[in-house]
Amino acid sequence: MNPIEKSHQLVREKMSKAGLSEAFILDFIKKIEQVRAGETGIVKWESVGDLDPLVDEISLEEIHSKFTFQKELLEKLVVIKLNGGLGTSMGLEKAKSLIPIKENKSFLEVIADQIRFIRNKFGLEVPLLFMDSYNTQKDSQEELSRIGFSQKITSTFLQNKVPRLAVKDLSPIKSANEKEDWCPPGHGDIYFTLVETGILDQLLDQGFEIAFLSNGDNLGATVDPHIVSFLLNEKIDFAMEMTPKTLADKKGGAIYRNLVNGEFCGYELLETAQVPKDKEHEFSGLGKFRTFSTNNLWINLTSLKKRFAAGDFSLSLIVNPKTVDGIDVLQLETAMGSAVGNFPKFKGIIIPRDRFAPVKKTEDYLIRRSDAYDLNEDFSLTMSQARKKANLGEMLVSLDDTYYKKIKRFDELFKAYPSLVLCEELKVEGEIEFDAKIEIKGKVSFVNRTGKLRKISELAKATFSNEIVSF
């Protein structure tokens, strides 16, 4: 047995022992072979073409004006939320969706309330499914039970997991903590899992034709009945909600026209990890890409089944280098938005910022928890009316990673959330405890270089406007 065969055998044994299916194992080994053949996941920049706004895009405003709500079409909708993340970047060891976000409600409870609102308003049962991970499923199901959320069909299905691979020979690693041997395969796994678990067939058998997929940490992503009408009337296979780019959106992925020798060959999703190093500035800027993908995605389930049955359903490979226990490893991932390349009938839906309010870092968490964002009647989380009236967009917040990166210490230091309705930029350097209610207007920096904990109350001031405050 040569080294490559040995490596594949080790992968197969590890994944089989973990109860992963033969079809999924074969798919993963195929990805390993791509890496061996030199696949890096980095795109050829000359293949990245611009979208044609007249052909490839439609505004939500236009959809609302042309496609009316039709109850018989809304009955064909299922909502699926990605709920596999632990929020490790924020220091969490449980599902991020379980932490409070507004009015002492968790993300999960707000999502459930959004669905209950739709059910009550239109008098129909829109199902809600969560794609959970091994780390989030139990706690999340307990939370749904606690808040009394129920439905006829299952509310959960399990995302797969894949081995981390040693860079040196692409064999699975063995670390001190067995959990560290594994990683999520990226949210592109959702299609494989829906098909393999039989959930796709169950949904189709029960008359569901459209799935609305989005991240569990984006509480702006609510059901829009007009979009459902648009997709079914226009027979769209795949639609991605996209929003105009701002300086706060440097890492957002983007849909592009894939060009081969200058000829259009279909649509693709470009993620940050796929951008050549010398093109990162162009990718993150506001020039080439006017909009970015929100990961609010609509897919026709019949089209998905047909495309899977045709074979060679492909997702762009993302090769993510990491270090685990001092070992250089690769994580092989896919993004669910990259499924766009499999469908001819695509539309990018240009949406207002209100449908995109994710929480990836404690900076985002502060913004969403503050009075700059409101929880509305339909339980969507959107920028407050007062902020909109002041013609303010997404604010830039920078918190000192040493003290604020992890949620536990963040909570200890933000005993009182500042009013951010009129804030444009907030920067916090050093260890500062926000122990008194204050209002921040314009661009404000708080700087503590004393090496000791300082408190906002020491300043004996209620309003800060366009200033740098040093302790």
Side-chain angles (χ1 to χ4, degrees):
M1 188 181 294
N2 65 43
I4 292 176
E5 290 171 336
K6 178 66 176 173
S7 171
H8 286 179
Q9 183 185 13
L10 291 171
V11 168
R12 180 181 293 281
E13 288 172 356
K14 191 176 188 78
M15 295 180 77
S16 296
K17 191 177 177 182
L20 297 163
S21 73
E22 178 64 16
F24 185 68
I25 293 169
L26 286 172
D27 182 73
F28 186 65
I29 288 175
K30 184 179 174 183
K31 289 181 172 65
I32 296 174
E33 288 172 345
Q34 284 179 255
V35 176
R36 285 194 196 282
E39 178 60 65
T40 62
I42 304 297
V43 301
K44 294 177 179 176
W45 203 246
E46 62 271 18
S47 72
V48 180
D50 298 335
L51 292 181
D52 182 339
L54 297 177
V55 176
D56 305 327
E57 300 171 3
I58 185 170
S59 71
L60 186 60
E61 187 179 30
E62 185 179 344
I63 288 175
H64 279 213
S65 69
K66 291 182 177 178
F67 299 90
T68 57
F69 159 65
Q70 295 171 266
K71 184 175 179 179
E72 68 274 16
L73 297 186
L74 190 59
E75 286 178 329
K76 300 175 185 292
L77 176 70
V78 58
V79 176
I80 304 177
K81 296 288 184 180
L82 304 181
N83 189 47
L86 280 181
T88 49
S89 62
M90 293 167 64
L92 291 166
E93 293 181 357
K94 61 179 180 180
K96 191 201 309 181
S97 59
L98 298 179
I99 62 175
I101 183 66
K102 278 287 186 187
E103 299 174 8
N104 213 31
K105 293 175 182 280
S106 67
F107 285 85
L108 214 60
E109 186 171 359
V110 173
I111 291 167
D113 284 343
Q114 291 173 351
I115 295 298
R116 287 191 278 219
F117 177 85
I118 288 290
R119 290 176 179 178
N120 293 334
K121 182 176 180 178
F122 298 111
L124 48 84
E125 177 99 354
V126 174
L128 170 64
L129 277 68
F130 291 92
M131 182 167 82
D132 289 307
S133 67
Y134 289 84
N135 297 312
T136 64
Q137 189 176 49
K138 182 175 179 291
D139 289 344
S140 297
Q141 286 297 296
E142 287 173 356
E143 171 76 348
L144 289 174
S145 177
R146 182 189 70 78
I147 63 175
F149 183 83
S150 61
Q151 59 189 27
K152 292 172 187 172
I153 67 173
T154 181
S155 60
T156 180
F157 60 98
L158 202 56
Q159 180 182 27
N160 283 301
K161 60 181 181 179
V162 294
R164 287 185 165 121
L165 305 172
V167 170
K168 61 176 183 178
D169 59 2
L170 299 182
S171 63
I173 66 165
K174 286 185 179 179
S175 59
N177 178 2
E178 206 263 342
K179 267 189 173 182
E180 293 293 322
D181 291 359
W182 300 91
C183 64
H187 40 60
D189 179 57
I190 193 167
Y191 308 110
F192 200 97
T193 304
L194 282 172
V195 171
E196 197 177 44
T197 57
I199 288 175
L200 177 60
D201 284 335
Q202 289 174 36
L203 292 171
L204 287 168
D205 289 345
Q206 292 178 48
F208 297 106
E209 294 181 30
I210 296 290
F212 175 37
L213 283 54
S214 63
N215 293 345
D217 65 7
N218 178 14
L219 297 179
T222 54
V223 171
D224 187 317
H226 297 270
I227 295 179
V228 179
S229 297
F230 161 66
L231 297 171
L232 288 170
N233 280 300
E234 295 296 304
K235 297 181 170 53
I236 302 295
D237 298 322
F238 189 101
M240 175 68 81
E241 294 185 24
M242 310 186 305
T243 197
K245 208 168 191 179
T246 73
L247 292 172
D249 308 310
K250 291 185 177 180
K251 291 192 174 181
I255 304 286
Y256 68 95
R257 282 181 160 237
N258 185 29
L259 306 177
V260 177
N261 297 322
E263 295 294 317
F264 171 55
C265 293
Y267 302 98
E268 296 290 348
L269 175 71
L270 180 61
E271 293 277 23
T272 307
Q274 298 170 297
V275 177
K277 283 284 183 196
D278 64 336
K279 300 297 181 182
E280 285 178 354
H281 181 73
E282 188 177 351
F283 175 73
S284 62
L286 304 180
K288 185 172 178 63
F289 298 100
R290 298 168 289 106
T291 62
F292 69 95
S293 155
T294 61
N295 225 33
N296 300 349
L297 186 158
W298 303 76
I299 190 163
N300 185 295
L301 296 177
T302 302
S303 299
L304 176 62
K305 183 175 172 62
K306 285 179 180 175
R307 184 61 189 79
F308 238 94
D312 198 30
F313 184 89
S314 63
L315 300 173
S316 303
L317 183 64
I318 300 171
V319 182
N320 201 350
K322 300 268 183 180
T323 302
V324 177
D325 288 348
I327 305 168
D328 290 332
V329 303
L330 296 180
Q331 294 182 182
L332 306 189
E333 304 169 6
T334 57
M336 70 179 186
S338 69
V340 65
N342 295 280
F343 300 101
K345 291 213 71 176
F346 159 79
K347 267 292 194 254
I349 303 174
I350 308 301
I351 59 165
R353 190 75 186 203
D354 273 353
R355 293 184 59 79
F356 184 68
V359 174
K360 303 302 180 188
K361 304 181 294 181
T362 50
E363 283 92 342
D364 303 324
Y365 190 58
L366 172 63
I367 294 168
R368 312 299 178 228
R369 292 215 71 180
S370 78
D371 58 0
Y373 271 71
D374 288 337
L375 195 61
N376 303 304
E377 180 195 7
D378 64 354
F379 296 97
S380 60
L381 184 68
T382 62
M383 194 177 290
S384 71
Q385 287 303 314
R387 187 172 176 82
K388 289 177 183 176
K389 283 177 184 174
N391 290 317
L392 292 173
E394 197 66 21
M395 76 182 80
L396 295 174
V397 173
S398 173
L399 303 176
D400 194 322
D401 273 357
T402 306
Y403 306 102
Y404 298 94
K405 186 176 182 179
K406 306 298 184 185
I407 200 77
K408 183 175 183 294
R409 190 67 184 125
F410 170 92
D411 283 340
E412 291 168 351
L413 290 172
F414 276 101
K415 289 189 167 62
Y417 289 115
S419 172
L420 299 177
V421 172
L422 299 177
C423 176
E424 294 174 57
E425 291 184 23
L426 170 63
K427 184 176 181 180
V428 181
E429 180 186 333
E431 189 176 17
I432 301 169
E433 183 180 304
F434 287 74
D435 63 329
K437 190 69 180 171
I438 60 169
E439 182 180 15
I440 297 172
K441 297 179 179 180
K443 300 177 181 181
V444 176
S445 294
F446 293 99
V447 182
N448 172 20
R449 293 176 183 157
T450 66
K452 297 176 182 177
L453 173 68
R454 303 302 294 265
K455 299 187 177 186
I456 287 291
S457 58
E458 297 173 35
L459 302 170
K461 187 176 172 182
T463 302
F464 297 87
S465 179
N466 292 310
E467 56 190 297
I468 297 172
V469 182
S470 296
F471 286 85

